[in-house]
Amino acid sequence: MTPFAPTKTSADAIRGVLDDGRLIVCVGPGGVGKTTTAAALGLRAAMAGRKTIVLTIDPAKRLANSLGLQSLTNDPQKIDLDEAAVTDTTLEHISAATESKEGGELWAMMLDSEQTFNDLIDQYAPDEKALERGRENNIYRLLSSALHGMQEYMALDKLHDLYTGGYFDLVVLDTPPTKNALEFLETPGRAATFFDERIIKWFLPNRDSGLLSRVFNPGSVVLKLVSAVLGESFVQDLVEFFDTFHYLQEALQQRGEMIEFILRDPQTHFFVITSADPRRMNEAFFFHEKLANLEQKADIFIINRVIPRFSPEDIARLDDAALDAILTEEGVDDGERVRSFRKHLETHYARLAKLAMRDRDAISSLATRVGDDAIRLVPLLGEDVHNLGHLLKLSDFLTPLKALEPST
Amino acid sequence: MLEPLLDSRLIFVTGKGGVGKSTVTAGLARALARRGRRTLVLETDTFSAMEDLFDYESPGLEPVAINENLHASNLESEECFIATLRRFVPSERIARAVIKNRIARVFFQAAPSVNEVTILDQVRAFFEKRDDRGRTFYDHILVDLPASGHAVTFLNVPETMHGMMRGIGPIATMSRQVADLIADPKTTSIVAVCLPEEMPVNETIELADEIEKTLGRPLDMAIANMVHQPPIDSGDRPVFEQLHRRVRREHPDVESLFFDNDADKEDSTAIARLVEGNALAIGWADRDREYLNLLYDKLSAPIVEVPIMYESSGADIVDEMGKLFLDGPTSRASSSSATA
Ligand SMILES: Nc1ncnc2c1ncn2[C@@H]1O[C@H](COP(=O)(O)OP(=O)(O)OP(=O)(O)O)[C@@H](O)[C@H]1O
Ligand SMILES: Nc1ncnc2c1ncn2[C@@H]1O[C@H](COP(=O)(O)OP(=O)(O)OP(=O)(O)O)[C@@H](O)[C@H]1O
Ligand SMILES: [Mg+2]
Ligand SMILES: [Mg+2]
């Protein structure tokens, strides 16, 4: 059974990545704690002496505030770590100070994908006129905000800049909520697909044979159908769109290749964050299998928000009389109320034990597929994780702040 | 609590990934079907959730009868795309040929909104379906919307499309019809499912505003799902807190003990763990209540609280939810409701 208390192996694996990795990609289904985990990992890497940046996507407002990210900005901001150690009151039993090493820095930024897309276009547009035309295009406007996977693509694009920029030792990449984690891996291909040479050629007005001649070309039945379905004016917009943006094709392709190269690097690590929900576990496992396409694997499965160790046996073990005596001592007056108070506590505990068992069953079935050593559990804490103290507490479950005692 | 939905023929259920959209959609469908309404559930997921929740196998686009009044179909299939395309091209053979064309395929997969348009077009087709005697076939159609992207973006696609096509062409016409349907609060309801947590609650509040602004209609209902219940009444809190302090004094390591599966399970700590566990549960319930109150504060739509359920299978949870929706209170729960 995988305990919350660290098995040395998986804790060491995380430790190792924090010490030596160059990129950690936190992927997983929506709402499971990717952003929170990315921030917690970043904090610990910085404490271990590394210049770390966490590229967050849509952090919860309270977390963003505690990271100093009040407003959406596409630029890294440095976070004051001393304050974190001081303001923390939840961690009396852990000495955070002993962990801190010189030279570490924690930076965070929040992705603005529209801005990133605009920057990309600014960077590659051949001239001012192409820029103007682009901005006015109907399809461009829809694309920059709504293209499926645009956020993922822009996250990777930003990653490319941070990674190759040279300042940071470690980039921790948070990823956007997707329908399923797999979408992330398809990302580098997707934007490039839309700008696929074959598609562009197909729409691009050819000097010799313009679009119209192609449409009426008896061979081009398909294009005729596309026009019939989408309407002539839309197809005209498309033609113009591809005409305006064909320069992006090469840029996207080059960057896509570079990004894939980064993702394949041995110093790049994939942490899959998931909850104990069986659907999400399956997704996580499926993702792990697909990583083989990059000759990678999921280094660690972080099962977050696990119902902790409520066990059904505890109820049987309970000495009812002793508990009743304590309740009476604490001021519950008559015998009827004492029993009812106890019953409430027992009933609720037993229900949560049922939930806990549900989680644990799901976790063991994942463990049989990927091995205990690849799994870390983080419990559902009693409060939101929205300041550096909370992050530190959560990170203690990832890799303990105290040095591990040698196992006996 | 179904009242706000009883007159809606079309019910869109939206929410972030994992909040329980599919479970809630299935629960609502069960409840409506039990009231004798012919109900169709539509999902749009490659990995069908409904097949597990209703225990059936989907053959494709054609709805399957789960029971007399309950039907289900999955719109996430090539068949769905072909069905839509089929309406614009002369024959099914040509529709299939278009799909088979490599370039057209790449284009349709990558182009914005194609998926949304096809899904919504099929929803409309089911909406318009009539029986032999010309009566509408389905009393209610529930759509479990995909989690990715934004609900408003999704629901506004027909309007956007119509604009993009400058109102010309068959898709523009079809988009107009669907857009009108979505904007009509008499036929259509929008239900948002969320968890009682910071981001989901804030996003639901924003969603309500955006629906109002962009679609020109209200959000009809918010369902706060998986709400943790407190183990004891609020009157017993002071005594419990005293008890908790005492346990922590006598067993200073009880909290870590609680998170540690390998620790010896000694009988002597059973009471401590019972109390510590309940303290944690109170923490969860308090945190949920904080965000629920925010929701009550900021949202004018009716709010329905669905407690976290302890059944072990999804299908059982759906059954429980169905009962709750059928018999539960009609109006919004009061913000002080805290039952053990
Ligand atoms: N172990 C935990 N215990 C309690 N609360 C947690 C825990 N981990 C995360 N949370 C809370 O859960 C919420 C969701 O976390 P987070 O925003 O990190 O998820 P996400 O995977 O990034 O979501 P999205 O897919 O929407 O980006 C936050 O409010 C966070 O405070
Ligand atoms: N009220 C509830 N109590 C306990 N468990 C619940 C409740 N509602 C949903 N669940 C469980 O939560 C998990 C997620 O639910 P569901 O699949 O319905 O979410 P979803 O929002 O449709 O997710 P997805 O983003 O994958 O479509 C499932 O395991 C489901 O059984
Ligand atoms: Mg996030
Ligand atoms: Mg679902």
Side-chain angles (χ1 to χ4, degrees):
Chain A
M1 179 72 356
T2 316
F4 283 108
T7 69
K8 207 165 175 316
T9 322
S10 57
D12 284 354
I14 294 182
R15 178 89 264 167
V17 170
L18 292 178
D19 289 340
D20 304 318
R22 284 209 57 203
L23 169 64
I24 300 174
V25 186
C26 296
V27 295
V32 293
K34 293 179 294 297
T35 305
T36 310
T37 308
L41 289 167
L43 174 62
R44 291 295 297 280
M47 285 167 61
R50 307 196 72 206
K51 290 194 176 56
T52 310
I53 178 145
V54 185
L55 173 48
T56 69
I57 302 181
D58 254 353
K61 278 204 189 69
R62 291 166 81 172
L63 177 64
N65 288 346
S66 76
L67 294 176
L69 300 171
Q70 261 78 5
S71 55
L72 194 72
T73 151
N74 232 4
D75 300 314
Q77 290 177 35
K78 195 171 170 187
I79 290 152
D80 187 357
L81 284 183
D82 293 338
E83 210 175 320
V86 178
T87 53
D88 172 49
T89 52
T90 54
L91 281 171
E92 284 136 6
H93 65 293
I94 300 168
S95 170
T98 59
E99 165 117 359
S100 297
K101 288 213 188 85
E102 289 295 300
E105 290 175 10
L106 181 61
W107 294 69
M109 63 166 285
M110 189 151 52
L111 179 78
D112 177 345
S113 63
E114 250 180 279
Q115 186 58 45
T116 306
F117 187 48
N118 287 335
D119 290 350
L120 188 73
I121 285 176
D122 282 355
Q123 187 182 342
Y124 286 99
D127 53 54
E128 198 56 38
K129 243 179 56 215
L131 259 177
E132 283 290 301
R133 264 197 310 156
R135 296 241 163 81
E136 275 160 28
N137 187 281
N138 249 334
I139 293 173
Y140 163 74
R141 274 188 263 162
L142 186 78
L143 201 61
S144 63
S145 60
L147 174 62
H148 194 51
M150 190 49 111
Q151 218 180 11
E152 285 92 328
Y153 189 80
M154 289 308 136
L156 285 172
D157 201 73
K158 203 74 205 174
L159 163 72
H160 170 270
D161 293 349
L162 292 171
Y163 188 92
T164 55
Y167 183 82
F168 296 107
D169 304 327
L170 171 69
V171 182
V172 183
L173 177 68
D174 175 24
T175 54
T178 45
K179 194 162 76 185
N180 58 64
L182 279 183
E183 281 182 23
F184 176 79
L185 285 185
E186 296 162 1
T187 304
R190 193 183 283 117
T193 302
F194 192 64
F195 292 92
D196 188 299
E197 208 175 345
R198 287 169 302 174
I199 297 185
I200 293 188
K201 266 206 199 119
W202 199 49
F203 281 98
L204 224 53
N206 186 309
R207 297 280 166 263
D208 310 322
S209 57
L211 172 86
L212 289 183
S213 68
R214 279 166 172 247
V215 172
F216 294 110
N217 173 347
S220 180
V221 181
V222 174
L223 185 51
K224 211 153 63 181
L225 285 171
V226 171
S227 300
V229 175
L230 299 178
E232 284 285 348
S233 69
F234 184 68
V235 173
Q236 282 301 338
D237 279 342
L238 267 179
V239 169
E240 196 192 289
F241 175 81
F242 284 119
D243 190 27
T244 311
F245 287 109
H246 66 269
Y247 62 84
L248 269 185
Q249 192 237 324
E250 208 179 319
L252 286 176
Q253 199 175 330
Q254 272 172 14
R255 289 172 88 91
E257 277 164 18
M258 183 62 196
I259 289 164
E260 194 173 317
F261 185 76
I262 296 173
L263 293 180
R264 283 173 181 275
D265 191 282
Q267 279 179 299
T268 293
H269 300 272
F270 290 86
F271 287 7
V272 178
I273 328 292
T274 174
S275 67
D277 178 41
R279 258 174 95 78
R280 266 133 242 287
M281 294 279 228
N282 276 337
E283 225 174 82
F285 182 70
F286 200 32
F287 181 84
H288 168 70
E289 288 193 316
K290 288 284 167 180
L291 272 176
N293 293 345
L294 292 172
E295 285 145 43
Q296 288 278 20
K297 63 182 174 50
D299 290 72
I300 294 287
F301 292 84
I302 295 169
I303 324 283
N304 191 22
R305 308 176 55 125
V306 177
I307 303 284
R309 203 194 76 167
F310 291 85
S311 40
E313 308 96 70
D314 278 350
I315 299 292
R317 270 200 199 93
L318 212 63
D319 182 345
D320 287 353
L323 180 53
D324 286 356
I326 294 175
L327 284 169
T328 312
E329 270 173 50
E330 295 302 335
V332 185
D333 32 31
D334 74 279
E336 200 43 56
R337 275 198 60 216
V338 167
R339 266 185 302 282
S340 130
F341 203 119
R342 168 163 56 76
K343 270 272 159 294
H344 270 116
L345 297 185
E346 290 179 357
T347 312
H348 204 78
Y349 192 92
R351 284 182 186 148
L352 290 171
K354 240 174 124 181
L355 282 187
M357 293 311 288
R358 198 160 89 188
D359 279 8
R360 267 179 267 171
D361 286 348
I363 292 163
S364 355
S365 78
L366 182 68
T368 57
R369 295 202 272 184
V370 302
D372 270 338
D373 291 345
I375 294 180
R376 296 296 300 169
L377 305 188
V378 178
L380 178 64
L381 300 174
E383 69 277 314
D384 261 347
V385 186
H386 56 69
N387 63 42
L388 292 170
H390 292 153
L391 285 178
L392 203 57
K393 178 170 175 178
L394 189 136
S395 79
D396 188 42
F397 292 100
L398 298 170
T399 180
L401 280 152
K402 274 186 297 200
L404 278 172
E405 256 106 44
S407 53
T408 43
Chain B
M1 73 123 273
L2 283 175
E3 271 68 21
L5 305 179
L6 284 179
D7 292 331
S8 298
R9 286 202 52 225
L10 196 51
I11 301 167
F12 289 102
V13 183
T14 179
K16 282 186 77 161
V19 298
K21 263 182 322 308
S22 303
T23 311
V24 166
T25 308
L28 286 171
R30 271 237 185 277
L32 288 166
R34 278 207 195 107
R35 287 189 67 133
R37 309 296 185 91
R38 187 183 284 166
T39 305
L40 172 66
V41 178
L42 298 174
E43 63 178 331
T44 61
D45 201 324
T46 335
F47 305 101
S48 164
M50 296 305 162
E51 291 185 27
D52 280 344
L53 298 179
F54 290 144
D55 191 21
Y56 80 105
E57 245 167 75
S58 167
L61 197 51
E62 192 51 41
V64 171
I66 312 296
N67 61 42
E68 194 195 344
N69 284 325
L70 186 55
H71 305 246
S73 159
N74 195 342
L75 299 184
E76 177 72 337
S77 62
E78 197 159 283
E79 293 307 308
C80 178
F81 187 51
I82 291 173
T84 296
L85 202 57
R86 173 70 190 82
R87 305 199 309 114
F88 303 109
V89 300
S91 79
E92 171 144 350
R93 206 172 53 82
I94 296 181
R96 288 188 189 277
V98 171
I99 302 255
K100 287 224 178 68
N101 179 289
R102 246 177 62 226
I103 294 175
R105 203 189 170 92
V106 176
F107 172 72
F108 282 125
Q109 277 172 357
S113 308
V114 169
N115 195 34
E116 285 85 340
V117 169
T118 15
I119 288 173
L120 288 169
D121 183 48
Q122 285 316 303
V123 171
R124 187 201 49 78
F126 285 122
F127 180 84
E128 283 168 5
K129 183 175 166 152
R130 289 177 182 270
D131 66 12
D132 309 338
R133 290 149 68 187
R135 294 171 310 192
T136 51
F137 196 78
Y138 296 109
D139 298 319
H140 298 288
I141 297 174
L142 291 106
V143 189
D144 180 7
L145 288 175
S148 58
H150 213 293
V152 174
T153 313
F154 189 101
L155 292 173
N156 202 40
V157 159
E159 191 65 57
T160 314
M161 273 286 163
H162 185 259
M164 250 175 36
M165 315 253 154
R166 305 175 203 280
I168 304 162
I171 297 234
T173 312
M174 181 269 273
S175 298
R176 180 76 268 142
Q177 291 167 356
V178 179
D180 289 346
L181 203 56
I182 290 175
D184 178 10
K186 282 211 279 298
T187 34
T188 305
S189 284
I190 302 177
V191 175
V193 184
C194 69
L195 298 182
E197 292 178 6
E198 183 191 357
M199 289 243 274
V201 160
N202 283 326
E203 282 172 7
T204 304
I205 294 164
E206 283 163 23
L207 177 73
D209 284 348
E210 245 178 287
I211 288 178
E212 201 77 67
K213 254 203 313 262
T214 311
L215 304 175
R217 49 151 305 136
L219 171 75
D220 297 274
M221 183 186 281
I223 296 186
N225 191 24
M226 301 194 226
V227 179
H228 286 277
Q229 304 299 307
I232 49 167
D233 298 335
S234 48
D236 287 334
R237 284 286 280 269
V239 175
F240 180 82
E241 272 154 28
Q242 237 166 281
L243 182 65
H244 188 213
R245 276 196 295 276
R246 172 172 175 162
V247 160
R248 285 235 167 145
R249 242 184 353 259
E250 289 170 8
H251 305 269
D253 59 344
V254 63
E255 192 188 4
S256 53
L257 226 166
F258 202 70
F259 289 126
D260 179 359
N261 276 328
D262 274 355
D264 262 348
K265 294 179 186 172
E266 289 169 42
D267 291 2
S268 65
T269 57
I271 291 180
R273 280 204 301 272
L274 178 82
V275 174
E276 188 64 33
N278 276 286
L280 197 57
I282 289 176
W284 294 334
D286 281 355
R287 176 172 73 157
D288 287 4
R289 189 51 50 196
E290 177 192 341
Y291 291 115
L292 280 169
N293 286 340
L294 183 66
L295 200 60
Y296 284 114
D297 225 39
K298 295 277 168 65
L299 205 67
S300 49
I303 297 165
V304 173
E305 290 182 30
V306 177
I308 190 156
M309 292 175 173
Y310 306 100
E311 276 68 23
S312 41
S313 84
D316 290 344
I317 294 178
V318 168
D319 278 340
E320 272 310 299
M321 250 187 227
K323 281 182 213 147
L324 178 82
F325 291 146
L326 205 55
D327 310 325
T330 318
S331 60
R332 53 197 278 166
S334 87
S335 45
S336 60
S337 82
T339 43

